[in-house]
Amino acid sequence: MKVLVTGGAGFIGSQIVDALVKRGDRVRVLDCLHPLAHSARPDYLNPAAEYLFDDIRDPQAVAAAVRGVDAVSHQAAMVGLGVDFGDVEEYVSINDGGTATLLKALWDRRFAGPLVLAGSMVVYGEGRYRCPEHGLTEPAPRSPADLAAGRFDPGCAGCGATLIPEAIPEDSAMQPRGIYAATKLHQEHLCGAYARESGARFVSLRYHNVYGPRMPFNTPYAGVASIFRSSLENGSSPQVFEDGAQIRDFVHVYDVARANLLALDTPGAGGPFNVASGNPRTLLEMADHLCRSSGTGLRPQVTRRFRMSDVRHVFASPLRAADKLGFLAEVGFESGMAEFMSAPLRTGAAASA
């Protein structure tokens, strides 16, 4: 099989490339080496893959990239929370515009093979909650006054009781809370529309908190695990917002790459799938594991600071991916975090400037 991996020089994409090459697939990569993600051409690029260093928004470059491929793994995106709303044009241009350019090129060659998208759990917004009295319910918005007073857990809109978080399934309501989240949901909608028109099999893998080797390091667009590690390497304690009890699901990039191969290979599998470990942890637990693995003697600092755009709890139900794709995460939290503390990461030009 010949597979196009967009964003195949990046954190997750490069691991997918390695996994595809290892099993004997022919791989073509389209990546622009965006300076926010790369300060230089990475030294881990797989020599067995074909690389096209072009922008996914360039119609000619994308037309060349899709020529002759049997499957597409669409990983190219601008990721993370960004700096502020001033990032909006770049996020929409790359994530939505780039996806549209890719789909137009696929349409022009009547592509109907498997199309796998790097989705994200951010499309859910706040997670799934249950009220002891009213059952499954939407949480009331967290107010600035509540957050300032340290009341971080959302309450029931009906009775005000503190809600109990639950694992979120794929059929939950979509409530994107920020620019990146909105673009990830729009990518799903665009790819879904393409699949309905073309007959292609479309899978969105909604990644939860991915970590591991080659993760972006020390930039405003990095994930929380990378930000905590950066603090430790600079001799500072990780700064944990709120009270540190926010629940997330941390899934290793090796497992995420394996989920992508299963999504490409599984006939009949379509729609969204959570890609998660099924072993949720708090942010404070994650920070504590990194501190202990660092050997620095530093401990996490719980700041009780907050951001209105943050969600309190969001973690996944992994059941659909297990049932339909046969995906179960294999890398344990403790061993994965210990490895991550010394794993090779990657800087962008914004960090090295």
Side-chain angles (χ1 to χ4, degrees), residues 16 147 240 313 320 328:
I16 296 169
L147 292 169
V240 183
H313 304 298
R320 186 169 190 265
L328 292 170

Side-chain angles (χ1 to χ4, degrees), residues 56-79:
I56 195 167
R57 295 167 292 183
D58 182 335
Q60 290 185 320
V62 177
V66 303
R67 192 172 297 125
V69 300
D70 306 302
V72 176
S73 174
H74 182 28
Q75 307 294 314
M78 188 171 175
V79 302

Side-chain angles (χ1 to χ4, degrees), residues 39-328:
S39 58
R41 184 177 297 195
D43 59 6
Y44 54 69
L45 298 183
N46 196 306
E50 173 192 0
Y51 287 87
L52 304 177
F53 296 110
D54 284 301
D55 196 314
I56 195 167
R57 295 167 292 183
D58 182 335
Q60 290 185 320
V62 177
V66 303
R67 192 172 297 125
V69 300
D70 306 302
V72 176
S73 174
H74 182 28
Q75 307 294 314
M78 188 171 175
V79 302
L81 295 177
V83 176
D84 55 35
F85 199 84
D87 286 328
V88 63
E89 286 183 304
E90 191 78 350
Y91 272 102
V92 172
S93 176
I94 293 174
N95 296 0
D96 297 340
T99 297
T101 303
L102 172 66
L103 296 175
K104 171 62 164 57
L106 293 174
W107 179 258
D108 287 345
R109 59 152 296 205
R110 299 298 183 260
F111 173 86
L115 169 63
V116 176
L117 172 70
S120 175
M121 58 88 170
V122 296
V123 299
Y124 297 122
E126 274 288 356
R128 178 182 173 102
Y129 294 88
R130 188 171 297 274
C131 173
E133 181 178 349
H134 297 105
L136 196 64
T137 185
E138 294 293 327
R142 300 195 299 169
S143 70
D146 283 343
L147 292 169
R151 293 187 291 269
F152 298 119
D153 284 304
C156 176
C159 67
T162 299
L163 297 177
I164 301 166
E166 294 184 349
I168 195 162
E170 289 86 350
D171 60 359
S172 296
M174 301 291 98
Q175 298 177 336
R177 296 280 294 273
I179 299 165
Y180 173 62
T183 64
K184 296 309 290 184
L185 182 56
H186 194 206
Q187 283 184 306
E188 286 197 12
H189 289 165
L190 289 171
C191 292
Y194 177 83
R196 287 188 292 274
E197 292 286 334
S198 67
R201 180 173 63 83
F202 166 55
V203 173
S204 178
L205 298 179
R206 291 176 181 163
Y207 304 155
H208 283 249
N209 291 75
V210 187
Y211 71 99
R214 306 176 188 169
M215 193 173 188
F217 179 60
N218 200 24
T219 86
Y221 305 88
V224 65
S226 182
I227 291 169
F228 286 174
R229 174 177 153 174
S230 175
S231 294
L232 287 165
E233 293 192 344
N234 289 328
S236 302
S237 295
Q239 304 293 293
V240 183
F241 278 25
E242 300 186 14
D243 59 358
Q246 307 95 307
I247 301 174
R248 299 290 188 270
D249 189 303
F250 299 97
V251 59
H252 199 279
V253 69
Y254 296 160
D255 283 323
V256 174
R258 192 164 49 82
N260 273 271
L261 268 61
L262 289 168
L264 287 169
D265 293 346
T266 306
F273 293 91
N274 288 323
V275 176
S277 72
N279 181 25
R281 301 295 186 108
T282 68
L283 291 188
L284 184 56
E285 283 182 285
M286 188 267 284
D288 185 63
H289 272 80
L290 289 179
C291 284
R292 287 192 276 116
S293 298
S294 72
T296 62
L298 294 167
R299 311 305 305 160
Q301 181 180 354
V302 177
T303 68
R304 303 188 77 82
R305 292 168 56 200
F306 60 88
R307 293 175 295 208
M308 289 304 300
S309 60
D310 284 350
V311 300
R312 178 60 173 171
H313 304 298
V314 57
F315 55 99
S317 168
L319 297 180
R320 186 169 190 265
D323 179 48
K324 302 295 185 182
L325 297 179
F327 172 74
L328 292 170

Side-chain angles (χ1 to χ4, degrees), residues 4-23:
L4 170 65
V5 182
T6 71
F11 167 40
I12 297 172
S14 67
Q15 301 285 0
I16 296 169
V17 170
D18 287 352
L20 289 168
V21 168
K22 183 177 181 180
R23 73 176 194 178

